[in-house]
Amino acid sequence: MANILLLDDNDVAGCAMQEILTRGQHAAFVATNADDAWRILREGVLFDLVFLELNVSGSGGINFLRKLRDDWFWKILPVVAYTTERDSRMVRKALALKVQNYLIKPYQEESIISEVSKAMQKPWRDLHFDEPASFCTLMELSPEALVTRREEVQSGFEAAAKEFPAWAEARENEENAILRIRDLVSSAEGAGVWAGLDYLRDLQIQAIQGNWAAFAGSAEPLNFASELIRCQLNPRYA
């Protein structure tokens, strides 16, 4: 079963998509505007695929897609543009933003189920990690040791989510902050965890530059990275 988000402000389209996905034993959630779609996504790491109407609320669909591709984590989330938009310029924009496919309405059940199956062949969450078996062989680790390492990284992200935001006001000593971030990066790399690494490296740059305000909103992405690790360690969680 996959968890699917549809961004479309057409009620008929929303009902049709839900019926098709339910028949395929998938869970379907509908957002009628980009703000709600973003909020729903950020509440967890459970979604496997987004179906997107590019014309929702004017240009809201394509802007939502750009926002996804600029995000530290969601940039690799599979998105299918399933839209009424036939303009070649819009098609090129969507393809440049790496949609999984570009389909024209009306919905075709076979195409929808096929796109879900394609997204589930290699879930985007797994792309934030080295494959466990090959990583264990490379690092000469037992599977149990790898699990322990990843659990430690998860705990490290959770602790950072509580600690780092305070630096926006406390102005943590630069050397200590850089060391703290570097240790978490090193632990993640040693566990084959890539979720959150780019974000941590950016925070390290902000600390070097003395831009402590950048740490004010760090709790959400750090907790999100922790949730990604939880999903990887517990596949049934999603």
Side-chain angles (χ1 to χ4, degrees):
M1 185 186 85
N3 297 314
I4 312 299
L5 176 64
L6 170 67
L7 173 53
D8 197 322
D9 54 8
N10 184 297
D11 292 339
V12 175
C15 290
M17 179 65 80
Q18 284 183 313
E19 289 177 2
I20 290 171
L21 290 170
T22 299
R23 284 198 294 272
Q25 298 185 327
H26 302 300
F29 301 79
V30 179
T32 57
N33 61 74
D35 288 341
D36 283 348
W38 188 251
R39 175 182 55 79
I40 292 169
L41 279 178
R42 300 301 296 188
E43 286 176 351
V45 299
L46 308 182
F47 287 95
D48 300 291
L49 174 67
V50 172
F51 284 105
L52 175 66
E53 169 56 72
L54 297 176
N55 284 324
V56 66
S57 304
S59 60
I62 196 71
N63 289 337
F64 175 78
L65 181 55
R66 287 195 185 100
K67 190 172 183 178
L68 283 177
R69 295 307 179 233
D70 288 338
D71 187 79
W72 299 106
F73 303 100
W74 292 111
K75 59 186 176 183
I76 56 175
L77 175 70
V79 176
V80 174
Y82 215 140
T83 176
T84 57
E85 181 57 68
R86 295 175 179 269
D87 186 275
S88 60
R89 291 170 299 179
M90 187 65 78
V91 174
R92 287 196 295 272
K93 286 180 182 179
L95 292 177
L97 291 167
K98 299 181 180 179
V99 293
Q100 177 173 288
N101 206 347
Y102 194 105
L103 303 174
I104 301 296
K105 289 179 177 177
Y107 293 144
Q108 300 293 327
E109 183 164 352
E110 183 177 343
S111 296
I112 290 172
I113 299 303
S114 174
E115 294 300 328
V116 174
S117 297
K118 190 186 303 182
M120 295 300 291
Q121 285 176 4
K122 194 169 184 62
W124 70 273
R125 288 181 292 270
D126 291 349
L127 301 179
H128 283 289
F129 303 88
D130 278 317
E131 194 278 322
S134 58
F135 188 76
C136 284
T137 300
L138 177 67
M139 301 297 289
E140 298 183 345
L141 291 171
S142 68
E144 294 77 16
L146 179 60
V147 168
T148 298
R149 285 192 182 190
R150 290 185 173 179
E151 288 174 341
E152 290 172 351
V153 175
Q154 182 189 355
S155 297
F157 273 110
E158 289 179 350
K162 297 175 182 177
E163 179 184 356
F164 287 12
W167 295 354
E169 299 294 334
R171 309 275 174 171
E172 180 66 29
N173 174 274
E174 177 186 319
E175 184 176 345
N176 182 61
I178 293 172
L179 181 60
R180 178 77 175 82
I181 296 170
R182 185 180 297 159
D183 285 345
L184 186 51
V185 168
S186 178
S187 295
E189 289 177 339
V193 175
W194 304 110
L197 282 190
D198 287 342
Y199 180 67
L200 286 174
R201 291 180 179 123
D202 182 71
L203 284 181
Q204 191 172 50
I205 293 171
Q206 301 306 320
I208 293 171
Q209 296 175 345
N211 182 21
W212 297 104
F215 288 85
S218 61
E220 182 184 4
L222 292 169
N223 277 321
F224 196 83
S226 175
E227 286 297 289
L228 278 171
I229 300 171
R230 186 192 306 277
C231 274
Q232 196 279 326
L233 291 171
N234 305 281
R236 291 176 60 86
Y237 176 72

